[in-house]
Amino acid sequence: MTTHAPTTAYVLTAIGDDRPGLVAALAAAVDEHGGSWVDSQLALLAGKFAGIVQVELPDERAQDFLDALPSLADEVGLEVEAAAAGSPVGATAHSTLRLHLLGQDRTGMVREISSALRSQGATIDALRSWTREAPEGGGMLFEAEAEVRLPAEADENGVREALETIAAELMVDLELDPS
Protein backbone atom coordinates (compact mmCIF):
# COMPACT_ATOMS: atom_id res chain seq x y z
CA MET A 1 0.00 0.00 0.00
CA THR A 2 1.43 3.36 -1.05
CA THR A 3 1.09 6.29 1.33
CA HIS A 4 1.11 9.81 0.06
CA ALA A 5 2.97 12.62 1.78
CA PRO A 6 0.76 15.40 3.10
CA THR A 7 0.34 18.29 0.70
CA THR A 8 -0.62 21.92 0.91
CA ALA A 9 -2.58 23.75 -1.76
CA TYR A 10 -1.57 27.26 -2.84
CA VAL A 11 -3.13 29.82 -5.13
CA LEU A 12 -0.52 31.68 -7.17
CA THR A 13 -1.07 35.00 -8.88
CA ALA A 14 1.40 35.82 -11.63
CA ILE A 15 1.92 38.87 -13.82
CA GLY A 16 4.62 39.92 -16.24
CA ASP A 17 5.29 41.51 -19.59
CA ASP A 18 4.22 39.04 -22.26
CA ARG A 19 6.99 36.91 -23.70
CA PRO A 20 7.58 33.27 -24.58
CA GLY A 21 8.39 30.94 -21.69
CA LEU A 22 6.50 32.48 -18.77
CA VAL A 23 4.18 29.51 -18.27
CA ALA A 24 7.04 27.07 -18.84
CA ALA A 25 9.14 28.77 -16.15
CA LEU A 26 6.33 28.66 -13.60
CA ALA A 27 5.47 25.05 -14.47
CA ALA A 28 9.14 24.09 -14.10
CA ALA A 29 9.30 25.67 -10.63
CA VAL A 30 6.21 23.71 -9.56
CA ASP A 31 7.58 20.47 -10.99
CA GLU A 32 11.10 20.94 -9.55
CA HIS A 33 9.58 21.09 -6.07
CA GLY A 34 7.43 17.97 -6.52
CA GLY A 35 4.24 19.94 -6.98
CA SER A 36 1.16 19.41 -9.10
CA TRP A 37 -0.49 22.04 -11.31
CA VAL A 38 -4.16 21.58 -10.33
CA ASP A 39 -6.12 24.38 -12.01
CA SER A 40 -5.40 27.65 -13.78
CA GLN A 41 -6.77 30.61 -15.63
CA LEU A 42 -4.27 32.48 -17.78
CA ALA A 43 -4.77 35.49 -20.01
CA LEU A 44 -3.05 38.19 -22.01
CA LEU A 45 -4.41 41.63 -21.14
CA ALA A 46 -3.01 44.88 -22.53
CA GLY A 47 0.39 43.35 -23.22
CA LYS A 48 0.64 41.76 -19.79
CA PHE A 49 0.49 38.05 -19.07
CA ALA A 50 -1.69 37.43 -16.02
CA GLY A 51 -2.55 34.17 -14.37
CA ILE A 52 -4.08 32.48 -11.39
CA VAL A 53 -2.85 28.95 -10.70
CA GLN A 54 -3.77 26.42 -8.04
CA VAL A 55 -0.91 24.08 -7.13
CA GLU A 56 -0.39 21.36 -4.54
CA LEU A 57 3.03 20.80 -3.02
CA PRO A 58 4.39 18.22 -0.60
CA ASP A 59 4.51 19.88 2.83
CA GLU A 60 8.24 19.18 3.21
CA ARG A 61 9.04 21.03 -0.07
CA ALA A 62 6.51 23.86 0.09
CA GLN A 63 8.75 26.41 1.83
CA ASP A 64 11.57 25.84 -0.66
CA PHE A 65 9.07 26.43 -3.47
CA LEU A 66 7.81 29.65 -1.87
CA ASP A 67 11.40 30.83 -1.38
CA ALA A 68 12.15 30.14 -5.08
CA LEU A 69 9.24 32.18 -6.48
CA PRO A 70 10.93 35.62 -6.31
CA SER A 71 13.73 34.36 -8.57
CA LEU A 72 11.19 34.07 -11.42
CA ALA A 73 11.03 37.88 -11.53
CA ASP A 74 14.79 38.09 -12.15
CA GLU A 75 14.95 35.09 -14.49
CA VAL A 76 11.93 35.67 -16.76
CA GLY A 77 10.21 38.85 -15.52
CA LEU A 78 7.31 37.05 -13.85
CA GLU A 79 6.12 38.40 -10.49
CA VAL A 80 4.47 35.57 -8.53
CA GLU A 81 2.68 35.73 -5.20
CA ALA A 82 1.43 32.70 -3.29
CA ALA A 83 -1.35 32.30 -0.73
CA ALA A 84 -2.38 29.13 1.05
CA ALA A 85 -5.65 27.92 -0.47
CA GLY A 86 -8.72 28.43 1.66
CA SER A 87 -11.63 26.16 2.30
CA PRO A 88 -14.34 26.14 -0.37
CA VAL A 89 -17.09 28.59 0.46
CA GLY A 90 -20.70 27.56 0.16
CA ALA A 91 -20.41 23.81 0.54
CA THR A 92 -24.19 23.70 0.92
CA ALA A 93 -26.53 23.06 -2.00
CA HIS A 94 -26.72 25.90 -4.49
CA SER A 95 -27.70 26.64 -8.05
CA THR A 96 -25.82 28.51 -10.74
CA LEU A 97 -26.77 30.91 -13.49
CA ARG A 98 -24.84 31.81 -16.59
CA LEU A 99 -25.09 35.53 -17.32
CA HIS A 100 -24.42 37.28 -20.64
CA LEU A 101 -24.60 41.07 -20.94
CA LEU A 102 -24.18 43.27 -24.02
CA GLY A 103 -24.66 47.01 -24.36
CA GLN A 104 -23.12 50.41 -24.98
CA ASP A 105 -19.98 50.77 -22.91
CA ARG A 106 -20.19 53.16 -20.01
CA THR A 107 -18.57 53.50 -16.63
CA GLY A 108 -20.01 51.62 -13.66
CA MET A 109 -21.51 48.62 -15.46
CA VAL A 110 -19.56 45.96 -13.57
CA ARG A 111 -20.20 47.79 -10.30
CA GLU A 112 -23.95 47.93 -10.91
CA ILE A 113 -24.28 44.26 -11.88
CA SER A 114 -22.02 43.00 -9.08
CA SER A 115 -23.88 45.14 -6.52
CA ALA A 116 -27.22 43.70 -7.67
CA LEU A 117 -25.81 40.18 -7.33
CA ARG A 118 -24.37 40.94 -3.89
CA SER A 119 -27.75 42.27 -2.73
CA GLN A 120 -29.21 38.84 -3.51
CA GLY A 121 -26.41 36.93 -1.76
CA ALA A 122 -25.01 35.65 -5.07
CA THR A 123 -21.33 35.01 -5.73
CA ILE A 124 -19.49 35.54 -9.00
CA ASP A 125 -17.45 32.37 -9.62
CA ALA A 126 -16.13 33.47 -13.01
CA LEU A 127 -16.27 36.72 -14.97
CA ARG A 128 -14.90 37.62 -18.38
CA SER A 129 -15.53 41.02 -19.92
CA TRP A 130 -14.30 42.91 -22.96
CA THR A 131 -15.07 45.88 -25.19
CA ARG A 132 -15.38 45.99 -28.96
CA GLU A 133 -16.38 48.37 -31.70
CA ALA A 134 -20.11 48.52 -32.40
CA PRO A 135 -21.18 47.91 -36.00
CA GLU A 136 -21.51 50.92 -38.29
CA GLY A 137 -19.55 53.29 -36.05
CA GLY A 138 -21.95 52.99 -33.13
CA GLY A 139 -19.26 53.50 -30.48
CA MET A 140 -17.95 50.89 -28.10
CA LEU A 141 -19.86 47.89 -26.82
CA PHE A 142 -19.28 46.26 -23.46
CA GLU A 143 -19.79 42.52 -23.25
CA ALA A 144 -19.54 40.25 -20.22
CA GLU A 145 -20.08 36.61 -19.38
CA ALA A 146 -20.29 35.34 -15.81
CA GLU A 147 -21.02 32.23 -13.85
CA VAL A 148 -23.01 33.16 -10.78
CA ARG A 149 -23.53 30.91 -7.76
CA LEU A 150 -26.71 31.37 -5.77
CA PRO A 151 -26.93 30.35 -2.11
CA ALA A 152 -29.32 27.49 -1.31
CA GLU A 153 -31.82 29.92 0.22
CA ALA A 154 -31.77 32.35 -2.71
CA ASP A 155 -34.87 33.01 -4.74
CA GLU A 156 -33.77 32.66 -8.38
CA ASN A 157 -36.67 34.85 -9.50
CA GLY A 158 -35.52 37.58 -7.10
CA VAL A 159 -32.03 37.43 -8.58
CA ARG A 160 -33.46 37.62 -12.10
CA GLU A 161 -35.66 40.57 -11.16
CA ALA A 162 -32.75 42.47 -9.56
CA LEU A 163 -30.56 41.91 -12.62
CA GLU A 164 -33.31 42.76 -15.12
CA THR A 165 -33.98 46.03 -13.26
CA ILE A 166 -30.31 46.99 -13.54
CA ALA A 167 -30.21 45.89 -17.20
CA ALA A 168 -33.16 48.15 -17.98
CA GLU A 169 -31.48 51.09 -16.20
CA LEU A 170 -28.22 50.46 -18.06
CA MET A 171 -30.08 49.82 -21.35
CA VAL A 172 -28.24 46.55 -22.01
CA ASP A 173 -29.30 43.13 -23.21
CA LEU A 174 -29.12 40.55 -20.46
CA GLU A 175 -29.47 36.78 -20.78
CA LEU A 176 -29.67 34.48 -17.75
CA ASP A 177 -29.61 30.73 -18.14
CA PRO A 178 -29.31 27.94 -15.58
CA SER A 179 -25.96 26.22 -15.93
Side-chain angles (χ1 to χ4, degrees):
M1 175 180 217
T2 304
T3 59
H4 295 283
T7 61
T8 302
Y10 292 92
V11 175
L12 311 177
T13 57
I15 189 164
D17 290 333
D18 185 40
R19 62 174 276 223
L22 296 178
V23 175
L26 184 56
V30 172
D31 187 55
E32 289 166 3
H33 291 88
S36 296
W37 188 291
V38 177
D39 196 1
S40 62
Q41 294 185 21
L42 311 171
L44 179 61
L45 298 170
K48 293 285 188 184
F49 166 83
I52 302 171
V53 181
Q54 179 187 348
V55 299
E56 286 185 1
L57 292 145
D59 287 350
E60 72 273 3
R61 301 197 57 197
Q63 190 58 52
D64 288 341
F65 171 75
L66 296 174
D67 292 343
L69 289 178
S71 68
L72 291 173
D74 295 330
E75 294 169 11
V76 296
L78 188 63
E79 302 282 339
V80 182
E81 292 188 22
S87 300
V89 178
T92 60
H94 63 275
S95 59
T96 57
L97 292 174
R98 195 164 298 280
L99 174 148
H100 181 259
L101 177 135
L102 176 64
Q104 286 295 130
D105 187 28
R106 69 176 200 115
T107 60
M109 295 176 83
V110 173
R111 180 180 50 104
E112 294 289 334
I113 296 295
S114 60
S115 294
L117 290 168
R118 182 188 66 213
S119 75
Q120 300 298 309
T123 301
I124 299 171
D125 285 341
L127 171 67
R128 181 170 186 282
S129 63
W130 60 96
T131 57
R132 62 182 166 98
E133 292 281 336
E136 301 176 22
M140 292 298 288
L141 294 176
F142 176 83
E143 194 163 359
E145 295 174 343
E147 187 171 311
V148 177
R149 181 171 21 106
L150 307 178
E153 68 278 0
D155 172 22
E156 188 173 313
N157 290 330
V159 173
R160 284 181 182 279
E161 186 176 303
L163 288 172
E164 287 170 356
T165 298
I166 294 297
E169 290 172 9
L170 295 173
M171 295 184 291
V172 297
D173 293 328
L174 176 73
E175 297 174 20
L176 291 170
D177 299 308
S179 56

